[in-house]
C-alpha cells in the first residue's frame, strides 16, 4: 500500500531535487527502504507520507552535498542532453527553470518545489521539513522573490542570445 | 478590516492559506477597496508566474522494476519472521483488539478471564507448512492482509503491522519473510476502496484550501494539520 501509493510522488520529488532520473530512483528506493525498515520508530505523530517525504528530502540534500560540484554540473548537462529530446521552447523553459532553481539555496529550493510542484500546503511543508509554519511562509516568500529575479535575468540573457 | 491589516493578510489569502472566517473579512474589504484588489491581483500574478514556470518541470514515473528493487533491498534491512504469513491466531486478534484505547479499560476488567484464553492460544501450533504460505497473487492470503483489512486507514494498518511484527519477534520465529510481508501490504493497497491514482498534474489553486493531491486519499482539506488519513 505505501509503496505503490507513494512511489511516483517520491520519485518525482527526488527527481525535482536532484534532476537526474537515475539518482532520483536510487534515492527514492533508499527512502522507501529506510522508511519500511524503520517502521518501528515511526510513532504515528505525523502522517506517514510526511515522514517519507522528510527522509527523501534529507537523502536528496545529502546526495547533492556529497556530489562534487564539477561532477554534478557535468552530470546535469549530460542529463539535460539525454532528456531534451523534445527540442524547442519547452525544453528551453525546462532548462531555464532548472538552472534558476539551482541558483536558489537548498532551503528555498525545497520549499518552493514542495509548494508549487507537489501542492503541499504550509502545514504539510512544515511537517515535512520539521520547521515552523511561519518559517515556511517566509522561506516561500523569499524563494518566490529570488526566483522571479533570477528568472527575469535568465529571460534577459535568453533574449540577448537570440 | 482596514487596508493595513489587509496588507498583512493578503499574501496568505492569495495562497489560499487563511481561515474561512478571516477570508470572509478580507472578501468584504475587497468588495469595497480597489487598492487592495489591485494588490491582490499583483500577488496572484507573481505567484502564478512562478508556478507556471515550475510546471515546466517534467513529471516522471517510477520505472517498472522500482517496486522489485525496493522489495529486494528490504530483507537485508529488516528481517521479518516467517509467522507473519500465517493466519492470525486468536491470540493475535485479541492482542490487536485490546491494543485499542477504548478497549483497554474494558480489557483490564476481564484480564483474568482472557489470560486463560491467551495461554491456550499461545500453546496452539503456530508454524505453517510451506503449502500454507500465500502464493503470489493470492489476494485472499491471511495474516497481514487480514490485519490490515480490519483497519480503516493507513496509519492503523502500519500500527497493526508493527504489532504483528513485534509478536513475530517475540515468538522467535525464522526471520526470512520480508518479501511476503510487503507483498501483502501491497495487496491491501490494491483493494483499498479509497485508493485512487495520484494526481500528479497540479491544478490552479483557488482561494479555498486544497488537499495536496486527490482529496480523500491522504488528507482531507480540513484535516491536514490533524494528521487524519483517508
Amino acid at each position: 500500500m505505501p509503496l505503490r501509493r507513494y512511489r511516483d510522488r517520491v520519485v518525482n520529488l527526488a527527481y525535482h531535487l536532484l534532476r537526474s532520473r537515475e539518482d532520483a530512483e536510487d534515492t527514492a528506493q533508499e527512502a522507501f527502504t529506510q522508511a519500511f525498515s524503520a517502521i518501528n520508530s515511526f510513532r504515528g505523530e505525523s502522517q506517514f507520507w510526511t515522514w517519507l517525504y522528510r527522509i527523501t528530502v534529507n537523502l536528496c540534500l545529502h546526495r547533492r552535498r556529497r556530489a562534487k560540484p564539477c561532477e554534478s554540473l557535468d552530470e546535469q548537462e549530460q542529463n539535460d542532453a539525454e532528456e531534451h529530446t523534445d527540442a524547442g521552447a519547452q525544453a528551453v523553459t525546462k532548462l531555464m527553470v532548472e538552472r534558476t532553481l539551482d541558483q536558489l539555496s537548498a532551503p528555498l529550493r525545497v520549499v518552493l518545489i514542495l509548494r508549487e510542484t507537489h501542492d503541499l500546503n504550509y502545514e504539510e511543508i512544515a511537517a515535512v521539513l520539521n520547521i515552523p509554519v511561519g518559517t515556511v511562509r517566509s522561506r516561500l516568500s523569499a524563494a518566490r522573490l529570488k526566483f522571479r529575479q533570477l528568472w527575469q535575468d535568465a529571460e534577459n540573457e535568453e533574449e540577448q542570445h537570440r | 478590516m482596514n487596508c493595513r491589516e489587509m496588507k498583512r493578510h493578503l499574501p496568505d489569502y492569495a495562497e489560499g492559506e487563511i481561515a474561512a472566517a478571516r477570508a470572509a473579512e478580507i472578501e468584504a474589504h475587497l468588495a469595497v477597496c480597489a487598492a487592495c484588489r489591485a494588490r491582490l491581483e499583483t500577488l496572484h500574478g507573481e505567484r502564478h508566474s512562478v508556478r507556471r514556470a515550475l510546471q515546466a518541470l517534467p513529471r516522471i514515473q517510477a520505472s517498472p522494476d522500482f517496486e522489485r528493487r525496493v522489495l529486494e533491498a528490504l530483507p537485508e534491512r529488516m528481517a521479518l519472521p516467517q509467522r507473519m504469513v500465517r493466519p492470525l491466531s486468536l491470540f493475535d486478534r485479541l492482542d490487536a483488539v485490546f491494543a485499542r484505547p477504548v478497549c483497554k479499560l474494558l480489557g483490564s476488567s476481564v484480564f483474568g478471564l482472557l489470560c486463560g484464553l491467551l495461554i491456550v492460544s499461545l500453546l496452539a501450533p503456530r508454524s505453517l507448512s510451506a503449502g500454507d504460505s500465500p502464493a503470489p497473487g493470492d489476494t485472499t492470503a491471511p495474516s497481514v492482509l487480514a490485519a490490515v483489512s480490519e483497519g480503516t486507514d493507513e496509519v492503523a494498518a502500519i500500527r497493526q503491522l508493527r504489532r504483528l511484527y513485534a509478536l513475530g519477534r517475540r515468538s522467535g520465529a525464522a526471520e526470512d519473510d520480508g518479501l511476503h510481508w510487503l507483498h501483502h501490504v501491497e495487496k491491501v493497497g490494491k483493494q483499498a476502496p479509497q485508493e485512487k491514482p495520484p494526481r500528479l498534474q497540479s491544478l490552479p489553486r483557488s482561494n479555498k484550501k486544497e488537499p495536496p493531491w486527490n482529496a480523500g486519499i491522504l488528507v482531507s482539506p480540513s484535516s491536514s494539520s490533524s494528521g487524519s488519513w483517508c
Side-chain angles (χ1 to χ4, degrees):
Chain A
M1 155 172 59
L3 179 55
R4 195 157 292 162
R5 177 177 284 181
Y6 302 126
R7 63 182 173 187
D8 284 341
R9 294 172 196 161
V10 172
V11 167
N12 267 294
L13 177 59
Y15 179 63
H16 290 150
L17 290 171
L18 297 172
R19 291 181 42 194
S20 156
R21 185 184 186 110
E22 190 180 340
D23 287 350
E25 290 242 349
D26 287 348
T27 306
Q29 179 192 329
E30 177 62 20
F32 274 110
T33 309
Q34 281 195 13
F36 286 135
S37 60
I39 196 75
N40 278 326
S41 67
F42 174 62
R43 290 169 299 187
E45 292 169 357
S46 60
Q47 299 181 63
F48 178 75
W49 69 266
T50 60
W51 190 57
L52 183 61
Y53 266 42
R54 189 187 305 175
I55 294 171
T56 308
V57 168
N58 288 338
L59 286 172
C60 288
L61 295 181
H62 178 70
R63 197 171 188 123
R64 277 184 76 111
R65 273 197 302 268
R66 204 179 49 184
K68 291 179 183 174
C70 57
E71 286 179 356
S72 172
L73 192 62
D74 289 345
E75 285 172 10
Q76 286 174 2
E77 295 298 334
Q78 191 181 347
N79 289 327
D80 291 342
E82 287 171 1
E83 291 164 11
H84 290 171
T85 51
D86 54 333
Q90 199 175 350
V92 171
T93 305
K94 174 180 172 283
L95 254 181
M96 280 174 59
V97 172
E98 289 174 343
R99 286 177 177 166
T100 305
L101 281 174
D102 281 347
Q103 293 177 70
L104 296 179
S105 66
L108 298 188
R109 186 170 61 246
V110 170
V111 83
L112 197 60
I113 285 173
L114 288 174
R115 175 67 171 177
E116 300 298 5
T117 68
H118 291 263
D119 282 343
L120 269 58
N121 64 32
Y122 286 179
E123 288 179 352
E124 290 161 347
I125 295 170
V128 169
L129 301 179
N130 200 23
I131 55 176
V133 170
T135 306
V136 173
R137 185 183 286 113
S138 59
R139 279 189 192 174
L140 194 56
S141 174
R144 286 224 179 86
L145 181 63
K146 184 77 176 166
F147 186 94
R148 283 192 293 113
Q149 289 169 348
L150 292 167
W151 184 256
Q152 190 64 51
D153 293 346
E155 281 188 330
N156 292 341
E157 195 178 326
E158 188 68 24
E159 281 294 321
Q160 285 174 357
H161 284 177
R162 284 176 188 168
Chain B
M1 187 174 284
N2 58 37
C3 288
R4 184 182 292 176
E5 290 172 311
M6 285 291 286
K7 194 173 181 182
R8 195 169 75 240
H9 293 301
L10 266 183
D12 283 349
Y13 179 78
E15 294 274 354
E17 294 277 354
I18 204 152
R22 180 78 70 187
E25 290 179 44
I26 289 171
E27 281 157 13
H29 181 90
L30 286 171
V32 296
C33 179
C36 287
R37 280 201 303 273
R39 167 81 182 143
L40 178 63
E41 205 163 310
T42 304
L43 286 171
H44 276 313
E46 290 172 354
R47 179 164 181 266
H48 288 151
S49 66
V50 175
R51 187 174 180 81
R52 201 166 42 243
L54 286 170
Q55 294 299 312
L57 290 175
R59 308 280 178 162
I60 62 172
Q61 287 192 323
S63 59
D65 67 341
F66 182 81
E67 285 179 45
R68 181 186 59 76
R69 288 198 289 150
V70 173
L71 292 172
E72 283 177 356
L74 262 178
E76 295 175 13
R77 301 286 187 89
M78 58 189 305
L80 289 171
Q82 175 69 34
R83 66 186 288 271
M84 289 291 296
V85 296
R86 66 168 177 72
L88 286 179
S89 68
L90 177 62
F91 172 78
D92 293 338
R93 291 179 185 280
L94 287 174
D95 197 54
V97 165
F98 283 94
R100 295 173 189 162
V102 71
C103 293
K104 278 184 177 171
L105 188 61
L106 180 63
S108 63
S109 67
V110 292
F111 179 74
L113 178 62
L114 288 180
C115 272
L117 287 172
L118 290 174
I119 290 168
V120 169
S121 177
L122 281 169
L123 294 175
R126 292 190 166 273
S127 60
L128 284 180
S129 65
D132 292 329
S133 296
D138 177 9
T139 56
T140 62
S143 70
V144 175
L145 175 63
V148 174
S149 65
E150 290 170 6
T152 55
D153 59 43
E154 192 169 277
V155 168
I158 289 169
R159 285 180 182 149
Q160 181 72 339
L161 286 167
R162 225 161 31 195
R163 293 186 58 76
L164 285 167
Y165 178 47
L167 283 169
R169 290 186 72 88
R170 281 211 297 272
S171 77
E175 296 182 343
D176 60 353
D177 242 317
L179 279 178
H180 274 135
W181 175 77
L182 209 62
H183 281 320
H184 283 296
V185 176
E186 291 301 313
K187 286 167 195 163
V188 171
K190 271 186 188 173
Q191 293 175 335
Q194 71 274 24
E195 183 73 13
K196 293 175 186 173
R199 189 192 66 187
L200 288 176
Q201 185 61 46
S202 306
L203 295 173
R205 209 178 274 273
S206 70
N207 283 332
K208 288 189 176 178
K209 205 171 180 182
E210 289 181 356
W213 32 69
N214 284 2
I217 296 181
L218 291 174
V219 284
S220 63
S222 60
S223 66
S224 59
S225 62
S226 64
S228 170
W229 290 73
C230 301

